[in-house]
Amino acid sequence: MKALRNYLDKIKPNFEEGGRLHALRSVFDGFETFLFVPDTTAKSGVHIHDAIDSKRIMSMVVIALMPAMLFGMYNVGYQNYLFAGTLETASFWEIFGFGFLAVLPKILVSYIVGLGIEFIWAQWKGEEIQEGYLVSGILIPLIVPIGCPLWMLALACAFSVIICKEIFGGTGMNIFNPAIAARMFLFFSYPSKMTGDTIWVAQNSIFGLGNTLPDGFTAATPLSSASIEHLGTTGEASYSIADMIFGFIPGSIGETSVIAIALGAILLLWTGIASWRTMLSVFVGGGLMALLFHSMGKTPLPFHWHLMLGGFAFGAVFMATDPVTSCRTETGKYIYGFLIGALAIIIRVMNGGYPEGMMLAIFFGNMCAPMIDHFIVERNISKRIKRGGTK
């Protein structure tokens, strides 16, 4: 690393003011600060120094997403071999290799399109390259079905970066989670590629791996079928509680495994990056609302099933806790999380044509977060004044 540091110091003058590559200063700065902690210090004012910067926070979130991503790759291959009836004869590496080759293009497209726009925008504005897309770039592929075409994913990434991030001022200024915005763009623009029974299992062989499934093949998720067992076109596939906990069910790439998501949650909570108040409140709100609907006979699923199926756990851990778009006040985090969890279940149960509800719930929560914080702060000010204090 010392040799790399010395090399960067050697070429750095070329990218500074007056250097022959000054036009690419933001690109060089982006790579340098990604590799090394910046050594610049504030010149004036009062500042608090922290050992971790935003790039390190984003990198830690990416690491926390690795279990969900890697299991998602395996599950893509698993579902393909399962519904083709050849799972028993396939090795671990054949299953994982198929999923890896199916998911990798989506991750590459997401980063190429998203980071490409970030680089162009920074060059155009003469600003530093922002690090927010390090997380969004991997979140977006993990919350879409494996059947989502690459060109649609590219459009969603472009929409997310330009419309829901850069026009608000970039990282830290956006009011909606960019990954949620990308999924909403896909859902409302191309609903046939985001819902239904034909999008959850990769149907084509890749470089000799996997199986080409027949035309008209369908495989519903347990959430959409709303039953313990679902009869697919290739035979009966029973989804047990263990299948849902481990993640051996059809679904969006990174959202099926509760265990993989829990590993990421532990890392985020241990490092203090995610708020346990928000995370806990999402599950409490969702659990209580699901329990209420189940007791009323509105849903056949037990309340704990709702917390494991679909994007509920993934959204609670990785998206509702986004520090930019969630509440900042400690009390507000409880209200914000509870609102998201309860609303997700309300949408699932009350809207028969839309079995998933986490996306819209988080979007609505993002919209309400500033208002929640405002009223919490105003209440605290009022209490302080009543105690004889001042604003």
Short mmCIF file of all heavy atoms in Angstrom, two decimals, residues 154-210:
data_model
loop_
_atom_site.label_atom_id
_atom_site.label_comp_id
_atom_site.label_asym_id
_atom_site.label_seq_id
_atom_site.Cartn_x
_atom_site.Cartn_y
_atom_site.Cartn_z
N ALA A 154 -30.80 -0.72 -16.25
CA ALA A 154 -30.01 0.46 -16.58
C ALA A 154 -30.85 1.73 -16.53
O ALA A 154 -30.41 2.76 -16.00
CB ALA A 154 -29.38 0.29 -17.96
N LEU A 155 -32.06 1.68 -17.07
CA LEU A 155 -32.96 2.83 -17.01
C LEU A 155 -33.29 3.19 -15.56
O LEU A 155 -33.32 4.38 -15.19
CB LEU A 155 -34.25 2.54 -17.77
CG LEU A 155 -34.19 2.56 -19.30
CD1 LEU A 155 -35.56 2.20 -19.87
CD2 LEU A 155 -33.75 3.93 -19.80
N ALA A 156 -33.55 2.18 -14.75
CA ALA A 156 -33.89 2.43 -13.35
C ALA A 156 -32.72 3.08 -12.60
O ALA A 156 -32.92 3.99 -11.78
CB ALA A 156 -34.29 1.13 -12.67
N CYS A 157 -31.50 2.61 -12.87
CA CYS A 157 -30.32 3.19 -12.22
C CYS A 157 -30.14 4.66 -12.63
O CYS A 157 -29.83 5.52 -11.79
CB CYS A 157 -29.08 2.38 -12.58
SG CYS A 157 -29.05 0.72 -11.88
N ALA A 158 -30.33 4.93 -13.91
CA ALA A 158 -30.20 6.31 -14.39
C ALA A 158 -31.26 7.20 -13.74
O ALA A 158 -30.97 8.32 -13.30
CB ALA A 158 -30.31 6.34 -15.90
N PHE A 159 -32.49 6.72 -13.69
CA PHE A 159 -33.57 7.48 -13.05
C PHE A 159 -33.24 7.74 -11.58
O PHE A 159 -33.42 8.86 -11.08
CB PHE A 159 -34.88 6.70 -13.16
CG PHE A 159 -36.02 7.31 -12.41
CD1 PHE A 159 -36.79 8.31 -12.99
CD2 PHE A 159 -36.33 6.90 -11.12
CE1 PHE A 159 -37.86 8.89 -12.30
CE2 PHE A 159 -37.39 7.47 -10.41
CZ PHE A 159 -38.14 8.47 -11.01
N SER A 160 -32.75 6.71 -10.90
CA SER A 160 -32.45 6.84 -9.48
C SER A 160 -31.39 7.90 -9.21
O SER A 160 -31.55 8.74 -8.33
CB SER A 160 -31.98 5.47 -8.95
OG SER A 160 -31.48 5.58 -7.64
N VAL A 161 -30.30 7.86 -9.99
CA VAL A 161 -29.19 8.78 -9.75
C VAL A 161 -29.56 10.21 -10.13
O VAL A 161 -29.30 11.16 -9.38
CB VAL A 161 -27.93 8.32 -10.52
CG1 VAL A 161 -26.82 9.35 -10.39
CG2 VAL A 161 -27.46 6.97 -9.99
N ILE A 162 -30.17 10.38 -11.29
CA ILE A 162 -30.43 11.73 -11.81
C ILE A 162 -31.62 12.38 -11.11
O ILE A 162 -31.53 13.49 -10.57
CB ILE A 162 -30.67 11.69 -13.33
CG1 ILE A 162 -29.42 11.19 -14.05
CG2 ILE A 162 -31.06 13.08 -13.84
CD1 ILE A 162 -29.62 10.96 -15.54
N ILE A 163 -32.76 11.69 -11.10
CA ILE A 163 -34.00 12.29 -10.63
C ILE A 163 -34.12 12.28 -9.11
O ILE A 163 -34.63 13.24 -8.51
CB ILE A 163 -35.21 11.58 -11.25
CG1 ILE A 163 -35.11 11.61 -12.78
CG2 ILE A 163 -36.51 12.21 -10.78
CD1 ILE A 163 -35.07 13.00 -13.37
N CYS A 164 -33.67 11.21 -8.46
CA CYS A 164 -33.88 11.09 -7.03
C CYS A 164 -32.65 11.37 -6.18
O CYS A 164 -32.70 11.22 -4.96
CB CYS A 164 -34.39 9.69 -6.70
SG CYS A 164 -36.01 9.36 -7.41
N LYS A 165 -31.54 11.77 -6.83
CA LYS A 165 -30.36 12.05 -6.04
C LYS A 165 -29.68 13.35 -6.45
O LYS A 165 -29.61 14.30 -5.68
CB LYS A 165 -29.37 10.88 -6.15
CG LYS A 165 -28.16 11.02 -5.26
CD LYS A 165 -27.24 9.84 -5.41
CE LYS A 165 -25.97 10.07 -4.62
NZ LYS A 165 -24.88 9.20 -5.05
N GLU A 166 -29.19 13.40 -7.69
CA GLU A 166 -28.37 14.54 -8.09
C GLU A 166 -29.15 15.86 -8.14
O GLU A 166 -28.62 16.91 -7.79
CB GLU A 166 -27.72 14.27 -9.46
CG GLU A 166 -26.72 13.13 -9.45
CD GLU A 166 -25.54 13.36 -8.51
OE1 GLU A 166 -25.36 14.51 -8.06
OE2 GLU A 166 -24.82 12.40 -8.22
N ILE A 167 -30.40 15.81 -8.57
CA ILE A 167 -31.15 17.07 -8.65
C ILE A 167 -31.48 17.62 -7.26
O ILE A 167 -31.83 18.80 -7.13
CB ILE A 167 -32.45 16.92 -9.48
CG1 ILE A 167 -33.43 15.98 -8.80
CG2 ILE A 167 -32.14 16.50 -10.89
CD1 ILE A 167 -34.79 15.96 -9.47
N PHE A 168 -31.35 16.78 -6.22
CA PHE A 168 -31.54 17.26 -4.86
C PHE A 168 -30.24 17.78 -4.25
O PHE A 168 -30.26 18.30 -3.13
CB PHE A 168 -32.10 16.14 -3.97
CG PHE A 168 -33.55 15.83 -4.23
CD1 PHE A 168 -33.92 14.76 -5.01
CD2 PHE A 168 -34.55 16.64 -3.71
CE1 PHE A 168 -35.25 14.47 -5.25
CE2 PHE A 168 -35.88 16.37 -3.93
CZ PHE A 168 -36.24 15.28 -4.71
N GLY A 169 -29.13 17.59 -4.94
CA GLY A 169 -27.85 18.06 -4.43
C GLY A 169 -26.84 16.97 -4.18
O GLY A 169 -25.73 17.23 -3.73
N GLY A 170 -27.21 15.71 -4.46
CA GLY A 170 -26.26 14.61 -4.30
C GLY A 170 -26.39 13.90 -2.97
O GLY A 170 -27.37 14.06 -2.24
N THR A 171 -25.36 13.11 -2.65
CA THR A 171 -25.36 12.30 -1.43
C THR A 171 -25.58 13.16 -0.19
O THR A 171 -24.91 14.17 0.01
CB THR A 171 -24.03 11.55 -1.30
OG1 THR A 171 -23.85 10.69 -2.44
CG2 THR A 171 -24.01 10.70 -0.04
N GLY A 172 -26.50 12.73 0.65
CA GLY A 172 -26.80 13.45 1.88
C GLY A 172 -27.91 14.46 1.75
O GLY A 172 -28.40 14.98 2.75
N MET A 173 -28.33 14.75 0.51
CA MET A 173 -29.36 15.76 0.27
C MET A 173 -30.66 15.15 -0.24
O MET A 173 -31.69 15.82 -0.25
CB MET A 173 -28.85 16.80 -0.73
CG MET A 173 -27.55 17.47 -0.33
SD MET A 173 -27.71 18.43 1.20
CE MET A 173 -28.74 19.78 0.63
N ASN A 174 -30.61 13.91 -0.71
CA ASN A 174 -31.80 13.28 -1.28
C ASN A 174 -32.82 12.97 -0.19
O ASN A 174 -32.46 12.61 0.94
CB ASN A 174 -31.43 11.99 -2.02
CG ASN A 174 -30.58 11.05 -1.18
OD1 ASN A 174 -29.42 11.36 -0.89
ND2 ASN A 174 -31.13 9.92 -0.79
N ILE A 175 -34.10 13.11 -0.52
CA ILE A 175 -35.16 12.86 0.46
C ILE A 175 -35.75 11.47 0.32
O ILE A 175 -36.45 11.01 1.24
CB ILE A 175 -36.27 13.92 0.36
CG1 ILE A 175 -36.94 13.87 -1.02
CG2 ILE A 175 -35.73 15.31 0.65
CD1 ILE A 175 -38.15 14.77 -1.15
N PHE A 176 -35.50 10.80 -0.79
CA PHE A 176 -35.98 9.44 -0.99
C PHE A 176 -34.79 8.51 -1.20
O PHE A 176 -33.78 8.89 -1.81
CB PHE A 176 -36.91 9.34 -2.20
CG PHE A 176 -38.17 10.16 -2.06
CD1 PHE A 176 -38.37 11.29 -2.83
CD2 PHE A 176 -39.14 9.80 -1.15
CE1 PHE A 176 -39.52 12.05 -2.71
CE2 PHE A 176 -40.30 10.55 -1.01
CZ PHE A 176 -40.49 11.68 -1.78
N ASN A 177 -34.91 7.28 -0.70
CA ASN A 177 -33.87 6.28 -0.90
C ASN A 177 -33.73 5.97 -2.38
O ASN A 177 -34.71 5.57 -3.02
CB ASN A 177 -34.23 5.01 -0.12
CG ASN A 177 -33.13 3.98 -0.14
OD1 ASN A 177 -32.81 3.43 -1.18
ND2 ASN A 177 -32.57 3.72 1.02
N PRO A 178 -32.53 6.13 -2.97
CA PRO A 178 -32.37 5.93 -4.42
C PRO A 178 -32.72 4.52 -4.87
O PRO A 178 -33.27 4.34 -5.96
CB PRO A 178 -30.88 6.23 -4.65
CG PRO A 178 -30.49 7.13 -3.53
CD PRO A 178 -31.29 6.66 -2.35
N ALA A 179 -32.40 3.51 -4.07
CA ALA A 179 -32.72 2.14 -4.46
C ALA A 179 -34.22 1.91 -4.49
O ALA A 179 -34.74 1.24 -5.39
CB ALA A 179 -32.04 1.15 -3.50
N ILE A 180 -34.93 2.47 -3.51
CA ILE A 180 -36.39 2.37 -3.51
C ILE A 180 -36.96 3.07 -4.72
O ILE A 180 -37.91 2.60 -5.37
CB ILE A 180 -36.96 2.98 -2.22
CG1 ILE A 180 -36.67 2.07 -1.03
CG2 ILE A 180 -38.46 3.22 -2.33
CD1 ILE A 180 -37.39 0.74 -1.07
N ALA A 181 -36.39 4.24 -5.07
CA ALA A 181 -36.87 4.97 -6.25
C ALA A 181 -36.67 4.15 -7.52
O ALA A 181 -37.53 4.15 -8.41
CB ALA A 181 -36.12 6.30 -6.36
N ALA A 182 -35.55 3.44 -7.62
CA ALA A 182 -35.30 2.60 -8.79
C ALA A 182 -36.32 1.48 -8.89
O ALA A 182 -36.84 1.19 -9.98
CB ALA A 182 -33.88 2.03 -8.73
N ARG A 183 -36.62 0.85 -7.77
CA ARG A 183 -37.60 -0.25 -7.79
C ARG A 183 -38.99 0.28 -8.13
O ARG A 183 -39.75 -0.37 -8.87
CB ARG A 183 -37.62 -0.96 -6.45
CG ARG A 183 -38.58 -2.15 -6.43
CD ARG A 183 -38.54 -2.89 -5.11
NE ARG A 183 -39.62 -3.86 -5.04
CZ ARG A 183 -39.56 -5.12 -5.45
NH1 ARG A 183 -38.43 -5.56 -5.97
NH2 ARG A 183 -40.58 -5.93 -5.35
N MET A 184 -39.34 1.44 -7.60
CA MET A 184 -40.65 2.00 -7.91
C MET A 184 -40.75 2.36 -9.39
O MET A 184 -41.80 2.17 -10.01
CB MET A 184 -40.90 3.24 -7.05
CG MET A 184 -41.13 2.92 -5.58
SD MET A 184 -41.69 4.34 -4.62
CE MET A 184 -43.30 4.62 -5.34
N PHE A 185 -39.66 2.88 -9.94
CA PHE A 185 -39.65 3.19 -11.37
C PHE A 185 -39.92 1.94 -12.19
O PHE A 185 -40.74 1.95 -13.13
CB PHE A 185 -38.29 3.78 -11.75
CG PHE A 185 -38.09 3.96 -13.23
CD1 PHE A 185 -38.56 5.10 -13.87
CD2 PHE A 185 -37.44 3.00 -14.00
CE1 PHE A 185 -38.38 5.27 -15.24
CE2 PHE A 185 -37.26 3.16 -15.36
CZ PHE A 185 -37.73 4.30 -15.99
N LEU A 186 -39.27 0.84 -11.83
CA LEU A 186 -39.48 -0.42 -12.56
C LEU A 186 -40.88 -0.95 -12.35
O LEU A 186 -41.53 -1.42 -13.29
CB LEU A 186 -38.45 -1.45 -12.10
CG LEU A 186 -37.01 -1.23 -12.55
CD1 LEU A 186 -36.07 -2.20 -11.84
CD2 LEU A 186 -36.89 -1.38 -14.05
N PHE A 187 -41.36 -0.88 -11.11
CA PHE A 187 -42.67 -1.47 -10.81
C PHE A 187 -43.80 -0.76 -11.55
O PHE A 187 -44.69 -1.41 -12.11
CB PHE A 187 -42.93 -1.42 -9.30
CG PHE A 187 -44.25 -1.99 -8.90
CD1 PHE A 187 -44.42 -3.36 -8.77
CD2 PHE A 187 -45.35 -1.17 -8.68
CE1 PHE A 187 -45.64 -3.90 -8.41
CE2 PHE A 187 -46.58 -1.70 -8.33
CZ PHE A 187 -46.73 -3.07 -8.19
N PHE A 188 -43.76 0.56 -11.57
CA PHE A 188 -44.85 1.29 -12.20
C PHE A 188 -44.67 1.45 -13.71
O PHE A 188 -45.65 1.68 -14.42
CB PHE A 188 -45.02 2.66 -11.54
CG PHE A 188 -45.53 2.58 -10.13
CD1 PHE A 188 -44.75 2.91 -9.05
CD2 PHE A 188 -46.83 2.14 -9.88
CE1 PHE A 188 -45.21 2.83 -7.76
CE2 PHE A 188 -47.31 2.03 -8.59
CZ PHE A 188 -46.50 2.38 -7.52
N SER A 189 -43.44 1.33 -14.20
CA SER A 189 -43.20 1.45 -15.64
C SER A 189 -43.30 0.11 -16.35
O SER A 189 -43.79 0.03 -17.49
CB SER A 189 -41.82 2.06 -15.90
OG SER A 189 -41.71 3.34 -15.34
N TYR A 190 -42.84 -0.96 -15.70
CA TYR A 190 -42.81 -2.28 -16.32
C TYR A 190 -43.33 -3.32 -15.32
O TYR A 190 -42.59 -4.20 -14.87
CB TYR A 190 -41.39 -2.65 -16.77
CG TYR A 190 -40.74 -1.58 -17.61
CD1 TYR A 190 -39.82 -0.70 -17.06
CD2 TYR A 190 -41.05 -1.45 -18.96
CE1 TYR A 190 -39.22 0.29 -17.83
CE2 TYR A 190 -40.45 -0.47 -19.74
CZ TYR A 190 -39.55 0.40 -19.16
OH TYR A 190 -38.96 1.37 -19.92
N PRO A 191 -44.60 -3.25 -14.95
CA PRO A 191 -45.13 -4.13 -13.90
C PRO A 191 -45.05 -5.61 -14.24
O PRO A 191 -44.90 -6.44 -13.34
CB PRO A 191 -46.58 -3.67 -13.75
CG PRO A 191 -46.91 -2.97 -15.03
CD PRO A 191 -45.64 -2.33 -15.48
N SER A 192 -45.14 -5.96 -15.52
CA SER A 192 -45.10 -7.38 -15.89
C SER A 192 -43.74 -8.01 -15.62
O SER A 192 -43.63 -9.23 -15.53
CB SER A 192 -45.46 -7.55 -17.37
OG SER A 192 -44.50 -6.93 -18.20
N LYS A 193 -42.69 -7.19 -15.50
CA LYS A 193 -41.35 -7.69 -15.22
C LYS A 193 -41.00 -7.61 -13.74
O LYS A 193 -39.88 -7.95 -13.33
CB LYS A 193 -40.31 -6.90 -16.02
CG LYS A 193 -40.44 -7.07 -17.53
CD LYS A 193 -40.21 -8.52 -17.95
CE LYS A 193 -40.28 -8.68 -19.46
NZ LYS A 193 -40.07 -10.11 -19.86
N MET A 194 -41.96 -7.13 -12.92
CA MET A 194 -41.69 -6.99 -11.49
C MET A 194 -42.67 -7.80 -10.64
O MET A 194 -42.45 -7.97 -9.44
CB MET A 194 -41.77 -5.52 -11.09
CG MET A 194 -40.71 -4.64 -11.73
SD MET A 194 -39.03 -5.11 -11.26
CE MET A 194 -39.02 -4.63 -9.54
N THR A 195 -43.76 -8.27 -11.23
CA THR A 195 -44.73 -9.08 -10.51
C THR A 195 -45.16 -10.25 -11.39
O THR A 195 -44.88 -10.28 -12.59
CB THR A 195 -45.98 -8.27 -10.12
OG1 THR A 195 -46.59 -7.75 -11.32
CG2 THR A 195 -45.62 -7.11 -9.20
N GLY A 196 -45.85 -11.20 -10.79
CA GLY A 196 -46.30 -12.37 -11.55
C GLY A 196 -45.47 -13.59 -11.21
O GLY A 196 -44.58 -13.57 -10.36
N ASP A 197 -45.76 -14.68 -11.91
CA ASP A 197 -45.12 -15.96 -11.60
C ASP A 197 -44.02 -16.35 -12.58
O ASP A 197 -43.47 -17.44 -12.49
CB ASP A 197 -46.18 -17.08 -11.60
CG ASP A 197 -47.21 -16.88 -10.51
OD1 ASP A 197 -46.94 -16.08 -9.60
OD2 ASP A 197 -48.26 -17.54 -10.57
N THR A 198 -43.66 -15.48 -13.51
CA THR A 198 -42.71 -15.87 -14.56
C THR A 198 -41.35 -15.20 -14.41
O THR A 198 -40.50 -15.34 -15.29
CB THR A 198 -43.28 -15.51 -15.95
OG1 THR A 198 -43.46 -14.08 -16.03
CG2 THR A 198 -44.60 -16.20 -16.18
N ILE A 199 -41.12 -14.46 -13.32
CA ILE A 199 -39.92 -13.62 -13.24
C ILE A 199 -38.96 -14.03 -12.13
O ILE A 199 -37.88 -13.46 -12.01
CB ILE A 199 -40.32 -12.15 -13.00
CG1 ILE A 199 -41.15 -12.03 -11.72
CG2 ILE A 199 -41.09 -11.61 -14.18
CD1 ILE A 199 -41.48 -10.62 -11.32
N TRP A 200 -39.33 -15.03 -11.33
CA TRP A 200 -38.54 -15.31 -10.12
C TRP A 200 -37.47 -16.37 -10.33
O TRP A 200 -36.59 -16.52 -9.47
CB TRP A 200 -39.48 -15.74 -8.99
CG TRP A 200 -40.55 -14.75 -8.72
CD1 TRP A 200 -41.88 -14.88 -8.97
CD2 TRP A 200 -40.39 -13.43 -8.17
NE1 TRP A 200 -42.56 -13.75 -8.61
CE2 TRP A 200 -41.67 -12.83 -8.11
CE3 TRP A 200 -39.30 -12.69 -7.72
CZ2 TRP A 200 -41.87 -11.55 -7.63
CZ3 TRP A 200 -39.50 -11.41 -7.24
CH2 TRP A 200 -40.77 -10.85 -7.19
N VAL A 201 -37.54 -17.12 -11.41
CA VAL A 201 -36.57 -18.19 -11.66
C VAL A 201 -35.90 -17.94 -12.99
O VAL A 201 -36.58 -17.74 -14.01
CB VAL A 201 -37.26 -19.57 -11.66
CG1 VAL A 201 -36.24 -20.67 -11.97
CG2 VAL A 201 -37.92 -19.84 -10.31
N ALA A 202 -34.55 -17.95 -13.00
CA ALA A 202 -33.80 -17.79 -14.25
C ALA A 202 -34.08 -18.98 -15.14
O ALA A 202 -33.85 -20.13 -14.75
CB ALA A 202 -32.31 -17.67 -13.95
N GLN A 203 -34.54 -18.73 -16.35
CA GLN A 203 -35.07 -19.81 -17.18
C GLN A 203 -34.13 -20.27 -18.29
O GLN A 203 -34.43 -21.22 -18.99
CB GLN A 203 -36.40 -19.36 -17.79
CG GLN A 203 -37.43 -18.98 -16.75
CD GLN A 203 -38.78 -18.69 -17.34
OE1 GLN A 203 -39.13 -19.20 -18.38
NE2 GLN A 203 -39.57 -17.85 -16.67
N ASN A 204 -32.99 -19.60 -18.47
CA ASN A 204 -32.10 -19.95 -19.57
C ASN A 204 -30.76 -20.45 -19.06
O ASN A 204 -30.23 -19.95 -18.07
CB ASN A 204 -31.88 -18.73 -20.47
CG ASN A 204 -33.17 -18.25 -21.10
OD1 ASN A 204 -33.96 -19.06 -21.57
ND2 ASN A 204 -33.38 -16.95 -21.10
N SER A 205 -30.20 -21.44 -19.74
CA SER A 205 -28.88 -21.95 -19.39
C SER A 205 -27.82 -20.91 -19.71
O SER A 205 -27.92 -20.17 -20.69
CB SER A 205 -28.60 -23.23 -20.19
OG SER A 205 -27.30 -23.71 -19.92
N ILE A 206 -26.78 -20.82 -18.86
CA ILE A 206 -25.72 -19.84 -19.03
C ILE A 206 -24.39 -20.58 -19.14
O ILE A 206 -23.95 -21.24 -18.21
CB ILE A 206 -25.67 -18.86 -17.85
CG1 ILE A 206 -27.01 -18.15 -17.70
CG2 ILE A 206 -24.55 -17.85 -18.03
CD1 ILE A 206 -27.08 -17.26 -16.48
N PHE A 207 -23.76 -20.48 -20.30
CA PHE A 207 -22.46 -21.12 -20.55
C PHE A 207 -22.48 -22.60 -20.16
O PHE A 207 -21.55 -23.11 -19.54
CB PHE A 207 -21.35 -20.40 -19.77
CG PHE A 207 -21.14 -18.98 -20.19
CD1 PHE A 207 -21.27 -17.95 -19.28
CD2 PHE A 207 -20.83 -18.66 -21.50
CE1 PHE A 207 -21.09 -16.64 -19.66
CE2 PHE A 207 -20.64 -17.35 -21.90
CZ PHE A 207 -20.77 -16.34 -20.97
N GLY A 208 -23.57 -23.25 -20.49
CA GLY A 208 -23.66 -24.68 -20.23
C GLY A 208 -24.11 -25.04 -18.83
O GLY A 208 -24.29 -26.22 -18.52
N LEU A 209 -24.28 -24.04 -17.97
CA LEU A 209 -24.75 -24.29 -16.60
C LEU A 209 -26.24 -24.07 -16.52
O LEU A 209 -26.80 -23.27 -17.24
CB LEU A 209 -24.02 -23.36 -15.62
CG LEU A 209 -22.52 -23.57 -15.44
CD1 LEU A 209 -21.95 -22.49 -14.54
CD2 LEU A 209 -22.23 -24.94 -14.88
N GLY A 210 -26.87 -24.75 -15.58
CA GLY A 210 -28.30 -24.56 -15.39
C GLY A 210 -29.11 -25.28 -16.45
O GLY A 210 -28.62 -26.10 -17.22
#
